[in-house]
Amino acid sequence: VNGDRRGRIRTFIKKVELAITAGDAEQAEAAFKVAQPEIHRGVAKGVFHKKTASRKLSRLSSRIKALK
């Protein structure tokens, strides 16, 4: 079950990263807003450590801000 959850979260992160590499800030922002609660849910379920999730969200957010 944890593997499925981890894979689901990674898929959401990948969607954000693909939008960032495509240079589409608007799509990246939308994907990030969908990914954020999924990542937090992974922390609540014990799939990811709290600081790992925080680091991933912070790095994605800063990359999106750099696009704008």
Side-chain angles (χ1 to χ4, degrees):
V1 172
N2 283 345
D4 289 342
R5 286 187 180 131
R6 192 176 301 117
R8 180 178 163 87
I9 292 168
R10 285 180 180 158
T11 302
F12 281 103
I13 292 171
K14 198 176 294 183
K15 287 178 184 177
V16 177
E17 289 176 344
L18 286 173
I20 290 170
T21 54
D24 189 354
E26 195 173 297
Q27 187 179 0
E29 185 85 32
F32 182 73
K33 285 183 180 180
V34 175
Q36 197 169 7
E38 287 292 330
I39 293 170
H40 285 301
R41 199 168 295 125
V43 172
K45 299 290 184 182
V47 177
F48 286 115
H49 192 274
K50 181 170 48 173
K51 290 186 178 181
T52 302
S54 178
R55 183 179 66 243
K56 286 182 183 297
L57 290 170
S58 175
R59 288 179 180 174
L60 286 173
S61 177
S62 65
R63 287 172 65 192
I64 291 170
K65 284 181 183 175
L67 282 178
K68 293 181 180 178

